[in-house]
Every structure is written in structure tokens, then in C-alpha cells.
Amino acid sequence: QAQLEESGGGSVQPGGSLRLSCTASTDTYRSYCMGWLRQSPGKELEPVAQIDSDGHSYYASAVKGRFTISKDNAKKLLLLQMDSLEPEDTATYYCAADSTLIDCTLVDGYVFGFDVRGQGTQVTVSS
């Protein structure tokens, strides 16, 4: 089984919603910090949302109030509900995990660790 595998990407009009899911192996799901990263063509990889094993969540400024990260412990799923999508949200989204971090706080524009990543799922927001 792949350590992380994303699903749920697609195309949507501005203002629409998508829900991304990430299936994790048992060991990976136990990581202290899990999150979603994204990368647009020509841009650096950036963090979107992160959640620690206690359920504390952190968001990039660009998505705060529009995206919600959560975990389904019974199914070992990491979820990202994306509402009010904007063309600027167009990117490949990656599920990621890191068991070595001692602080899961998100810093805009900086990816710390998260050496375990999925293959990515494309999200396109366009009219």
C-alpha cells in the first residue's frame, strides 16, 4: 500500500467546492503532523493546511476561512474541504506527513519537512 494517496481533484468554476481525500498507511497516519501542500506551474511548493495529532489545525493566509482540514481516524483519511474556490487555487495538491516535526504550525510560503508525500491530485478553477 502506498503511504499516501490523494483523490478528489477535478475542475470547478470559481465559487465552487471540492473535497480532497488522502488515504494513509497505518504508520503514516500516526505521524504527528499531516497536511496539504500545493504547487502551481512556475511557483514554489507551498503549504495550504496542516493538522497535528491532537486535532489542532493551521491554515495559509490565502485559504483561511475557505478551506477546512480534518481527519477521519476510523478510516485513516486526511480531508480537505475547499469552498469558495478561486482561480488562484489552481494547482497540484499533495497530501503530506511528517513524524519528526515537534511543531505543526504553518508558516506562509515555507514547507518544513513533510518528506512523505503522495503523487498529487490536480485542482483546476476556471470559468
Side-chain angles (χ1 to χ4, degrees), residues 1 3 7-8 18 53-54 58 74 83 90 95 108 117-118 124:
Q1 179 185 0
Q3 289 184 299
S7 62
L18 282 174
S53 56
D54 295 322
Y58 308 88
D83 299 318
T90 295
C95 176
D108 279 340
R117 301 174 188 175
T124 301

Side-chain angles (χ1 to χ4, degrees), residues 11 30 39-40 46 48 55 62 64 66 70 72 77 80-82 85 90 92 110 112 125:
S11 296
R30 290 176 181 154
Q39 188 166 27
S40 304
E46 62 177 356
V48 175
K64 190 173 288 187
R66 300 187 296 120
S70 61
D72 183 330
L77 291 177
L80 184 69
Q81 178 66 38
M82 305 186 294
L85 282 160
T90 295
T92 300
Y110 289 90
F112 297 104
V125 184

Side-chain angles (χ1 to χ4, degrees), residues 6 20 36-41 44-46 48 89-95 118-124:
E6 306 92 342
L20 304 184
W36 292 93
L37 315 173
R38 70 184 181 186
Q39 188 166 27
S40 304
E44 296 289 321
L45 185 69
E46 62 177 356
V48 175
D89 297 317
T90 295
T92 300
Y93 285 71
Y94 299 91
C95 176
Q119 293 297 307
T121 186
Q122 179 66 35
V123 171
T124 301

Side-chain angles (χ1 to χ4, degrees), residues 5-70:
E5 187 170 353
E6 306 92 342
S7 62
S11 296
V12 65
Q13 293 186 339
S17 297
L18 282 174
R19 188 190 196 209
L20 304 184
S21 296
C22 174
T23 302
S25 65
T26 298
D27 285 344
T28 301
Y29 193 77
R30 290 176 181 154
S31 299
Y32 172 68
C33 188
M34 297 187 73
W36 292 93
L37 315 173
R38 70 184 181 186
Q39 188 166 27
S40 304
K43 293 187 178 181
E44 296 289 321
L45 185 69
E46 62 177 356
V48 175
Q50 296 170 192
I51 187 167
D52 66 25
S53 56
D54 295 322
H56 300 110
S57 56
Y58 308 88
Y59 297 93
S61 300
V63 307
K64 190 173 288 187
R66 300 187 296 120
F67 290 11
T68 303
I69 189 172
S70 61

